[in-house]
Amino acid sequence: MKDEVLQTLKNCYAASPDMVQILDADWNTVWCNRPSGADDLRERLMLPADHWESCTKSIVLGTDRCQCRLLCNRADGVRIAMFSKESNLFEAGMVYDTVHHIHSVCNLLYAALDALELSDFREELDSIVRNNFKFYRTALIQETIVRLENHILENEAFSLNQVLQSLYDKTRNVLFRCADVELHCCPEKLYMRGDLDAFLSAVLSALLLCKPDMDTRASFQISLEKSGDRGILLLSAVSSGEKNRYTHRALSECAGGEQLLIDTFSKECGIPCQVLRNGDKLSYRMELPLCEVPSSIAFHSDPERKETPHYNKYEAILAPIFCKIFF
């Protein structure tokens, strides 16, 4: 690549709002308008070394999913890669705002129906509220799956005992009307390293899938034991045979996605997950890699800090068992 060609390109792209990376004929970066460019760009774009056709491909930079527009000029031996962040029109935050607004309006309608003594229409309004909540639930599950598939994951150490105790408390708080929840943790403190938010979402999804029948009251069991260098997490549910009086508040014809989330979590995080069947009883068994006692631990994940008391992974994923009408 000639110096005058490089200087001209630098002058053209220096003020670009997008990241621009200039590479030579051997895919070596010779200039970037940001402190650092994308390493191993050819491998990340999955292109052959002799590729000289202009193209557009998706790529993940840090935590952002971007479009990479590659312009190639074989005569000058130059390739120009321009990166623009992809917009996600259905990210969970945007869906949450929409769902929250619709729920607020529905709550006003509930009050108006009561004032006009038109309670016969409450069932129709309940249906609107529950089906509206499906959008948030689907967006939240899909967002977790996309993060897993694109390796946009945290790597933080956390206490399994403490995290499961918190999950137990919150799950019991959501399901106390229609299910019992039990927790049995080994006395030894166990720690693992990984993405805490994805772990919580996978555990909640497994709990939900343990109980395919939503018409009866259930007892959920969460058990953690140590086996060598692994923590064995066992999740199961047993039906009491007692009718669940709150079935009408659950999400009917749920959007699903829980099994896909578990499978993606297992694959991308390297955590074996088995489905165990004993008659009508269904259980999930996860082998969790343990780490040494860390110097610092995470108590909450970043996505969890952004969640509200009503719109969060616990309310959303467990909604097919019980879904609140008022938020």
Side-chain angles (χ1 to χ4, degrees):
M1 182 191 309
K2 296 181 179 179
D3 290 339
E4 54 267 29
V5 173
L6 176 59
Q7 189 59 49
T8 299
L9 293 174
K10 289 167 63 175
N11 293 338
C12 290
Y13 293 111
S16 173
D18 297 326
M19 189 175 86
V20 179
Q21 187 172 348
I22 299 177
L23 305 98
D24 62 17
D26 297 318
W27 294 89
N28 298 311
T29 300
V30 295
W31 180 81
C32 185
N33 66 342
R34 296 288 187 272
S36 61
D39 297 330
D40 305 320
L41 184 60
R42 181 182 69 81
E43 289 82 358
R44 296 177 69 173
L45 294 177
M46 293 184 289
L47 296 174
D50 60 349
H51 181 88
W52 285 101
E53 297 294 327
S54 297
C55 62
T56 301
K57 284 180 169 285
S58 293
I59 188 173
V60 176
L61 293 179
T63 59
D64 296 327
R65 187 173 178 85
C66 302
Q67 283 282 337
C68 175
R69 289 177 293 158
L70 185 66
L71 305 178
C72 303
N73 187 317
R74 189 167 192 168
D76 291 324
V78 60
R79 296 180 176 90
I80 305 168
M82 294 178 286
F83 303 88
S84 57
K85 185 177 178 180
E86 288 185 350
S87 60
N88 185 355
L89 298 177
F90 297 99
E91 57 92 16
M94 184 278 293
V95 176
Y96 157 73
D97 290 338
T98 303
V99 169
H100 177 70
H101 175 71
I102 295 175
H103 276 180
S104 297
V105 173
C106 286
N107 287 342
L108 294 175
L109 292 175
Y110 277 119
L113 290 177
D114 290 341
L116 296 171
E117 298 182 353
L118 296 175
S119 58
D120 291 345
F121 292 97
R122 287 182 64 92
E123 186 174 344
E124 285 78 2
L125 195 54
D126 289 350
S127 178
I128 292 174
V129 172
R130 286 194 298 271
N131 282 281
N132 176 53
F133 189 63
K134 281 185 183 179
F135 291 111
Y136 173 72
R137 183 176 187 278
T138 304
L140 187 148
I141 293 175
Q142 182 62 41
E143 189 174 70
T144 303
I145 293 173
V146 169
R147 283 202 308 112
L148 287 164
E149 290 178 336
N150 290 285
H151 310 290
I152 308 174
L153 302 172
E154 298 295 332
N155 185 28
E156 50 199 2
F158 53 89
S159 163
L160 282 168
N161 310 66
Q162 186 174 22
V163 164
L164 291 176
Q165 179 65 50
S166 177
L167 181 140
Y168 161 73
D169 292 336
K170 293 179 180 179
T171 299
R172 188 176 55 170
N173 183 56
V174 174
L175 300 180
F176 76 94
R177 295 176 180 86
C178 51
D180 300 315
V181 186
E182 299 176 7
L183 173 66
H184 303 281
C185 277
C186 64
E188 183 178 354
K189 297 295 183 182
L190 305 181
Y191 301 88
M192 72 172 283
R193 183 175 294 277
D195 190 288
L196 175 54
D197 196 72
F199 170 74
L200 290 172
S201 298
V203 172
L204 287 170
S205 296
L207 272 178
L208 175 68
L209 294 178
C210 285
K211 188 179 187 301
D213 173 22
M214 305 304 171
D215 294 330
T216 57
R217 187 178 179 87
S219 175
F220 290 94
Q221 291 91 36
I222 306 170
S223 172
L224 176 68
E225 299 294 337
K226 184 180 180 183
S227 177
D229 61 348
R230 298 271 168 169
I232 306 301
L233 179 62
L234 189 64
L235 309 162
S236 59
V238 177
S239 176
S240 66
E242 177 187 351
K243 182 174 176 58
N244 177 11
R245 295 184 293 110
Y246 295 92
T247 302
H248 65 284
R249 291 193 178 183
L251 287 186
S252 59
E253 299 179 4
C254 168
E258 295 84 4
Q259 189 61 58
L260 178 58
L261 192 155
I262 295 170
D263 293 342
T264 308
F265 171 77
S266 176
K267 174 185 175 183
E268 301 299 338
C269 298
I271 295 178
C273 183
Q274 296 175 297
V275 180
L276 309 176
R277 296 182 184 275
N278 183 7
D280 295 333
K281 184 177 180 180
L282 183 67
S283 304
Y284 276 80
R285 181 181 185 273
M286 295 183 181
E287 294 185 21
L288 308 175
L290 302 178
C291 67
E292 298 295 328
V293 180
S295 56
S296 62
I297 63 173
F299 292 95
H300 303 283
S301 64
D302 284 339
E304 191 175 3
R305 290 189 183 95
K306 299 175 184 177
E307 293 174 343
T308 74
H310 304 300
Y311 295 90
N312 55 66
K313 66 178 64 61
Y314 296 92
E315 296 281 358
I317 296 178
L318 297 174
I321 303 174
F322 177 79
C323 182
K324 292 179 181 177
I325 298 301
F326 291 93
F327 287 95

